[in-house]
Amino acid sequence: MPGYWKEMVFETNSAEETYALGVTIGQEAVPGAVYALLGDLGVGKTVFTKGVAAGLEVKEPISSPTFTIVQVYESGKLPFYHFDVYRISDVDEMEEIGYEDYFYGEGVSFVEWANLIEEIMPEETITIRIEKDLSKGFDYRRITVEKE
């Protein structure tokens, strides 16, 4: 993706294309990058995240950290921190797990449902929004990538 951009919109028509876009994002990720991953249940956030992990050359299988809040993967070219904050009831829970060490460290942080903790997300967060449009097909996804 070009260096000077504010918003880019991608359209995918299969899980494979969504995964491939994730791979590209992962390949271009830099140390300390924080991504907010937004989208309804079932839009493909996990498929996209698995692609990002592949782009970072993570060797372990990727699973949703729904009940653990964060999964840490260190087998890739950069540490990969995969958060799922859907079940967070209070931002204090993020402080308890030491989120700042992840967000402001040398790895790449991916935060699903980041809108629930937006007050602690770094200013430089890159937002990725995945949306369905059933009028364009069951597997169609519109993926918007925005940075401040």
Side-chain angles (χ1 to χ4, degrees), residues 4 8 19 23-24 29 37 40 44-45 48 50 58 75 83 89 96-97 104 109 118 128 134-136 141:
Y4 299 102
M8 298 183 80
Y19 178 91
V23 170
T24 300
L37 186 56
D40 293 335
K45 292 186 300 291
F48 186 84
K50 287 179 178 183
V58 171
S75 64
F83 292 82
S89 58
E96 288 173 18
I97 64 166
Y104 301 103
S109 296
E118 61 189 354
I128 299 171
L134 294 177
S135 71
K136 295 186 177 187
R141 300 294 185 269

Side-chain angles (χ1 to χ4, degrees), residues 36-112:
L37 186 56
L38 307 175
D40 293 335
L41 290 169
V43 296
K45 292 186 300 291
T46 301
V47 168
F48 186 84
T49 302
K50 287 179 178 183
V52 171
L56 288 168
E57 301 173 16
V58 171
K59 306 294 182 247
E60 302 110 296
I62 304 300
S63 62
S64 180
T66 301
F67 297 102
T68 58
I69 302 175
V70 63
Q71 293 279 10
V72 176
Y73 303 95
E74 296 185 331
S75 64
K77 62 183 181 180
L78 293 171
F80 181 52
Y81 311 124
H82 181 200
F83 292 82
D84 183 332
V85 299
Y86 185 73
R87 289 178 170 38
I88 290 278
S89 58
D90 191 303
V91 173
D92 291 341
E93 290 180 59
M94 290 296 289
E95 290 180 12
E96 288 173 18
I97 64 166
Y99 79 91
E100 290 174 322
D101 293 338
Y102 299 107
F103 286 8
Y104 301 103
E106 292 299 311
V108 174
S109 296
F110 243 70
V111 185
E112 292 189 40

